[in-house]
Amino acid sequence: MRHSILSLAIVAASSLLINASMTWKQVRVGGGQGFVPGIVFCPKTKGVAYARTDIGGLYKLNSDDSWTPLTDWVGTNNWHDWGVDALAVDPTDCNKVYIAVGMYSISWDPNVGSILRSTDGGSTWSETKLTFKVGGNMPGRGIGERLSVDPNSPNIIYFGARSGNGLWKSTDSGATWSKVSAFPSTGTYVQDASSEYTADPVGLASITVDASSSSSGQATKRIFVGVANVGTSSVFVSNDAGATWSAVSGQPTTNNLPHKGVISPSEGLLYISFNNNAGPYDGTLSTVQKYNISSGVWTDITPKPSDYNGSDQYYGWGGLAVDLQKPGTIMVANLNSWWPDGNIFRSTDSGKTWSPLWAWASYPNINRYYKYDVSLAPWIGVVQSGDTKQIGQMIESLDSVHNVTLKSLAQGIEESAVQALISPPTGHILSPACGVTSLVWAGVPTTILRIGNDGSNLNGKQVAISTNSGSTWSVDSGAWDYAVAGKGAISAQGDVVLWATSANGTLVSRYTNNFSLVSSLPTSGVQIASDKVNNAVFYAAAGNKFYLSKDFAVTFSASSATLGSSTTTKGITVNVKTTGDVWVSTDAGLFHTVNNGTSFTQITGFTVAYSVSTGASKTTGGYPSVYVFGTHNTNSGLWRSDDQGSTWTRLDDASHGFGSQEANTSTTSTSATTTKSSSMTTSSSTTKTTSSSTTTTTKSSSTTTSSSIKTTTTTTTTTKTSSSTTTTKSSTTTTTATATGTGACHYCQCGGIGYTYVFN
């Protein structure tokens, strides 16, 4: 998922900020850091390509080989649109692009899927809701493409659905859809029937339209459809524009789930990569086949283990590409070669012989027939012990002999799973990659605590401390083995670590001694924070209870003042200058105390607050600004208050939805003189429809609760809104990041394990 950093150099002339003029900048970690299941080039114009991701939306290739995000408008109310399960580009008009969106085709996502269509290269979108779900993050998300535009009659589009919903067709460029009732198979393959996620039928796999079977202006007659079946027919053809269908004769019927189907028109061949499973994590037995369309002959052209001096074929086949300018030149990638590396094979004679990107020399040595350029993502060049991959794994998309150069060209595709984000008063902005779940700074801002979640090393220590702003790290030797993840807090002077683990309760340690259980806190659902001034003071919350410790987190006492009707505490942040001044975000709203939790003020207007942070004050010496991801007066977004919660300004806009707010983290600099982001490369952000941008400033009433009294004070509520209609792209800028750490699983799906990124 992509994330943004807020520039804090914001100046307002009046005490009530009516129009928040925000500049959002893409943070570029580099390397992509996620799964890109599909890349589709437009054959009409060189250099036009779109890339779909499983949970990070859609991107468009720029002339400098960077990528522009096209779905940053997706917000918390339509978070499922981040999942892109299929992608098609009109081969006659590169600005016309279609995507099938939806995150899960099971109960995890309550929403039906949609087909989104754009006629301006992704700047604006129109939506048609389907009657069933779409699964951009489901098994088999790398097969396809499931969407296809008829090249002879581009108003005709086909879509292959999951979950037994069959084949669908549109004759009005995606505005309306009808089911192709004559299509004979909906797909019976399930990855694993034992769990809901893997038991849903993968459905139709790919649609390949043979343009040579008709003339321009006529509906293409010959259409091939791959279906997720194993052990029975999986490739079907129509020769009458979809009116009737039949299984292609002679096709493989074992290990025969089709991943990719590509036609080489000048050869009259259909190339297909088959597998025994849908991927992306499974798939071991498979073949690569070519089908002669005129003669009806199938030929097995699978690269052999001997082609790379190997002894077996354990990895399956995924990505497949045909060079349309050089007939007979094809490339195929193995799907699940987790060790020693993925491999890509190239043939220039229609699959008779193959050349790999690497081959075994004498074990354990490898001959790598390529150069490796990681200049745009240096962190992927650091190889963790035992991890030899450079090419990668789960290779599902390809679009062309030895001595080639592999270069990271993922600039702008950012799916980093940002688990935490901090901006101490001194030093750098830091954010961990996948494998680090918590990052906090002490009252001494150069001292930083991080909590790890290295599932591959459960008997290792997951707590590390830096005393130089993240440049180097030391493992906390007192950390429990087998305890992982969760949230951390470090005392003002940096000598006490409090750790709310994922499954072992809340633990505490001082001076890196052995951690011990804090029995006075609940065993789960606990949020924690440390005071930045008083070294002995820690805070905790769970449900609607607030807890205080004054003895270095050894014991906690529950306050009799509650957090209203809260059932889940989302986060705690403190005023870094004042002891006892604490903000708590919950599923019931936002709460504030200035007396260590003796009493709380519930900030009226917030029905849910997913996260809260404090940052530099608007005026020198003033109260810190407060930032909240949440729903305020029915409007979900990112909010700021410069007056201790009396008034709130919405900071996001129609072009920046930030996906699911509950998954977001935010940080703001506590330094009033330093801006943490730097301008690099400008890119564009787009909107779903022509829409109005609204900024709201609300003056709120507040309710105060304490342990002895409950009073309500009401003030006038004023809402001011400015709106303007726009069809233009809003400019965004990027910052770059460097990584610090001790090795990384640099091809893990959401980034490097053990890495913390430093943004300069």
Side-chain angles (χ1 to χ4, degrees):
M1 178 178 290
R2 299 181 59 257
H3 292 263
S4 300
I5 281 182
L6 173 64
S7 173
L8 297 171
I10 301 171
V11 179
S14 61
S15 59
L16 292 180
L17 187 60
I18 305 302
N19 295 306
S21 179
M22 306 301 300
T23 299
W24 292 102
K25 302 179 180 182
Q26 184 192 46
V27 178
R28 289 187 173 178
V29 175
Q33 294 215 286
F35 188 26
V36 182
I39 302 173
V40 175
F41 280 79
C42 180
K44 183 178 181 180
T45 304
K46 182 179 179 180
V48 178
Y50 299 84
R52 64 178 176 93
T53 67
D54 52 359
I55 61 171
L58 183 72
Y59 298 81
K60 184 178 182 180
L61 185 65
N62 300 317
S63 59
D64 63 353
D65 287 333
S66 66
W67 297 84
T68 292
L70 300 181
T71 50
D72 272 8
W73 45 264
V74 176
T76 195
N77 294 328
N78 55 350
W79 59 271
H80 50 281
D81 287 354
W82 279 100
V84 185
D85 201 22
L87 162 67
V89 179
D90 186 338
T92 68
D93 185 344
C94 299
N95 284 320
K96 292 183 178 180
V97 58
Y98 304 86
I99 53 177
V101 297
M103 193 66 74
Y104 299 103
S105 54
I106 56 175
S107 65
W108 299 359
D109 186 347
N111 307 282
V112 296
S114 299
I115 303 294
L116 302 183
R117 59 193 187 277
S118 175
T119 59
D120 53 14
S123 293
T124 60
W125 296 88
S126 298
E127 178 181 22
T128 297
K129 287 189 177 296
L130 301 169
T131 57
F132 49 84
K133 296 181 179 182
V134 170
N137 199 32
M138 292 293 291
R141 55 193 179 274
I143 61 180
E145 290 293 324
R146 291 180 166 95
L147 269 173
S148 185
V149 178
D150 187 329
N152 292 309
S153 183
N155 59 300
I156 298 176
I157 309 170
Y158 296 94
F159 174 55
R162 293 175 174 269
S163 313
N165 289 300
L167 180 65
W168 292 72
K169 180 179 180 180
S170 173
T171 58
D172 54 9
S173 300
T176 61
W177 294 82
S178 59
K179 189 172 184 177
V180 181
S181 57
F183 192 76
S185 178
T186 61
T188 59
Y189 169 87
V190 298
Q191 192 174 65
D192 183 350
S194 65
S195 72
E196 181 187 9
Y197 176 69
T198 54
D200 188 59
V202 172
L204 273 59
S206 62
I207 302 170
T208 307
V209 182
D210 184 3
S212 66
S213 63
S214 298
S215 301
S216 178
Q218 299 177 341
T220 298
K221 294 180 179 180
R222 186 160 47 242
I223 308 158
F224 294 95
V225 175
V227 179
N229 290 328
V230 174
T232 186
S233 295
S234 62
V235 182
F236 296 84
V237 64
S238 174
N239 290 298
D240 52 14
T244 61
W245 298 84
S246 61
V248 178
S249 62
Q251 64 181 280
T253 55
T254 58
N255 306 320
N256 63 316
L257 193 157
H259 269 239
K260 303 289 182 180
V262 183
I263 286 179
S264 177
S266 60
E267 296 181 285
L269 296 174
L270 170 66
Y271 292 93
I272 299 180
S273 57
F274 288 100
N275 217 310
N276 62 336
N277 287 296
Y281 304 109
D282 56 2
T284 55
L285 301 174
S286 62
T287 62
V288 181
Q289 303 267 345
K290 65 181 179 183
Y291 173 69
N292 189 303
I293 297 173
S294 61
S295 69
V297 175
W298 289 85
T299 304
D300 187 339
I301 59 171
T302 309
K304 300 176 179 62
S306 58
D307 288 326
Y308 73 104
N309 297 330
S311 59
D312 60 357
Q313 180 183 305
Y314 59 89
Y315 33 73
W317 299 101
L320 174 69
V322 171
D323 190 334
L324 298 181
Q325 299 185 41
K326 297 179 180 179
T329 298
I330 58 175
M331 298 177 70
V332 65
N334 51 41
L335 179 61
N336 281 301
S337 179
W338 299 85
W339 182 89
D341 206 342
N343 211 339
I344 299 174
F345 294 77
R346 181 174 183 262
S347 174
T348 58
D349 52 14
S350 304
K352 294 179 182 178
T353 60
W354 295 92
S355 175
L357 280 182
W358 65 266
W360 286 107
S362 57
Y363 181 84
N365 299 312
I366 294 175
N367 292 324
R368 297 186 183 271
Y369 306 121
Y370 59 87
K371 297 178 181 179
Y372 195 48
D373 184 348
V374 298
S375 57
L376 296 180
W379 64 273
I380 68 174
V382 181
V383 178
Q384 186 182 26
S385 177
D387 185 355
T388 58
K389 290 186 290 297
Q390 291 183 339
I391 299 172
Q393 69 220 16
M394 295 157 51
I395 306 174
E396 288 275 27
S397 189
L398 292 175
D399 235 337
S400 204
V401 87
H402 291 172
N403 302 320
V404 299
T405 297
L406 298 181
K407 184 176 182 179
S408 172
L409 293 178
Q411 289 284 71
I413 295 181
E414 296 296 340
E415 284 192 276
S416 305
V418 178
Q419 305 294 310
L421 187 66
I422 62 171
S423 179
T426 59
H428 310 280
I429 293 176
L430 295 99
S431 176
C434 184
V436 179
T437 61
S438 182
L439 198 67
V440 292
W441 52 278
V444 180
T446 55
T447 298
I448 300 168
L449 167 73
R450 79 180 187 188
I451 305 297
N453 186 30
D454 187 351
S456 65
N457 188 23
L458 290 177
N459 61 345
K461 309 295 184 182
Q462 301 295 314
V463 180
I465 298 172
S466 173
T467 57
N468 54 12
S469 298
S471 296
T472 60
W473 297 85
S474 298
V475 173
D476 190 327
S477 59
W480 287 12
D481 292 340
Y482 300 101
V484 299
K487 301 296 182 181
I490 187 167
S491 63
Q493 295 177 18
D495 57 344
V496 179
V497 172
L498 185 64
W499 179 15
T501 70
S502 61
N504 297 92
T506 301
L507 311 176
V508 66
S509 168
R510 193 173 190 190
Y511 305 128
T512 69
N513 289 318
N514 289 336
F515 278 74
S516 59
L517 184 67
V518 181
S519 59
S520 51
L521 287 176
T523 58
S524 62
V526 178
Q527 297 291 332
I528 57 176
S530 65
D531 193 86
K532 301 298 184 185
V533 179
N534 190 325
N535 195 56
V537 174
F538 283 80
Y539 310 101
N544 71 341
K545 296 290 187 180
F546 183 82
Y547 302 84
L548 173 69
S549 174
K550 295 183 178 181
D551 59 2
F552 306 98
V554 175
T555 61
F556 282 79
S557 299
S559 171
S560 56
T562 67
L563 301 172
S565 60
S566 304
T567 59
T568 303
T569 303
K570 302 291 187 179
I572 304 175
T573 194
V574 301
N575 181 345
V576 299
K577 300 177 181 179
T578 305
T579 295
D581 190 342
V582 183
W583 295 81
V584 184
S585 58
T586 80
D587 62 345
L590 182 66
F591 298 82
H592 182 212
T593 178
V594 294
N595 52 19
N596 280 322
T598 301
S599 62
F600 279 92
T601 298
Q602 182 171 1
I603 306 301
T604 300
F606 281 101
T607 54
V608 60
Y610 297 109
S611 64
V612 59
S613 63
T614 57
S617 58
K618 178 182 173 183
T619 59
T620 303
Y623 190 85
S625 294
V626 182
Y627 297 83
V628 176
F629 272 110
T631 301
H632 188 275
N633 290 340
T634 72
N635 295 307
S636 296
L638 174 61
W639 303 84
R640 185 185 72 212
S641 175
D642 299 316
D643 52 14
Q644 301 187 54
S646 294
T647 59
W648 293 89
T649 299
R650 186 173 178 180
L651 304 181
D652 58 328
D653 53 44
S655 295
H656 301 90
F658 304 118
S660 176
Q661 288 187 33
E662 190 166 8
N664 287 334
T665 58
S666 62
T667 189
T668 49
S669 174
T670 54
S671 170
T673 59
T674 303
T675 300
K676 292 292 185 180
S677 45
S678 59
S679 298
M680 297 295 287
T681 304
T682 300
S683 60
S684 296
S685 179
T686 59
T687 57
K688 181 177 180 181
T689 58
T690 302
S691 57
S692 61
S693 175
T694 302
T695 302
T696 304
T697 298
T698 304
K699 191 172 184 181
S700 305
S701 61
S702 61
T703 300
T704 302
T705 63
S706 70
S707 57
S708 57
I709 60 172
K710 180 177 182 180
T711 61
T712 301
T713 303
T714 303
T715 59
T716 304
T717 300
T718 305
T719 301
K720 297 182 179 181
T721 303
S722 64
S723 62
S724 60
T725 301
T726 178
T727 57
T728 60
K729 299 178 181 179
S730 56
S731 173
T732 60
T733 313
T734 63
T735 63
T736 57
T738 57
T740 65
T742 55
C745 173
H746 55 289
Y747 276 105
C748 292
Q749 186 172 359
C750 49
I753 287 178
Y755 264 124
T756 299
Y757 292 102
V758 179
F759 298 100
N760 298 304

